[in-house]
Each structure stands twice: as C-alpha cells, then as structure tokens.
Amino acid sequence: MPRFRIQIDQSLCSGFGSCVDSVPEAVRLDGPVASVHAETDSTGALDAAADCPMGAIAVFDADTGEQVA
Ligand code: SF4
C-alpha cells in the first residue's frame, strides 16, 4: 500500500469539504479553505482528488513522488 501525499491548491479550493470526509486524518478545514496536515495510506486520498468539485487536489506517491491522482 503506497503512502499518499496530498497537495491542495488553495487558490482553487472553495471549502466544500468533501475532501475532509474522504481523508479526515490528512485534511482539515481550518477556515475558508482546506489544508493538508499529514500523509495517509488511505485510498480516500484518491477519492478526495476525484470528488473535489474544483479540481484543487493532486495526490502523489510519498515514496516515489509520482503523481497518482
Ligand atoms: S473538496 Fe476541494 S474545494 Fe472542497 S474543501 Fe476539499 S480541496 Fe477545497
């Protein structure tokens, strides 16, 4: 299971928060936009990227740096 590093473009984020539901251990809404607080081994990271209505989320394999979503 790869470890995922999530990146959020906060200039695109509109704070809908579906990403927080997908990976609550890694992403938080601290204000109007989401921010990343941890890496995760949950495939919820891939769901978060797919479900973000703003296309603000990119996901990378934390070991290889390869973009996976
Ligand atoms: S799902 Fe996308 S737009 Fe919504 S809070 Fe997360 S990063 Fe922002």
Side-chain angles (χ1 to χ4, degrees), residues 4-66:
F4 298 112
R5 180 170 54 82
I6 301 167
Q7 194 173 76
I8 295 177
D9 183 338
Q10 294 186 319
S11 70
L12 295 177
C13 175
S14 295
F16 295 121
S18 64
C19 56
V20 180
D21 294 336
S22 296
V23 275
E25 71 282 11
V27 179
R28 292 186 209 142
L29 268 180
D30 287 332
V33 297
S35 56
V36 179
H37 290 270
E39 295 179 350
T40 180
D41 57 10
S42 167
T43 56
L46 306 177
D47 297 335
D51 294 344
C52 175
M54 303 305 291
I57 298 178
V59 182
F60 300 86
D61 183 310
D63 294 324
T64 67
E66 177 191 0

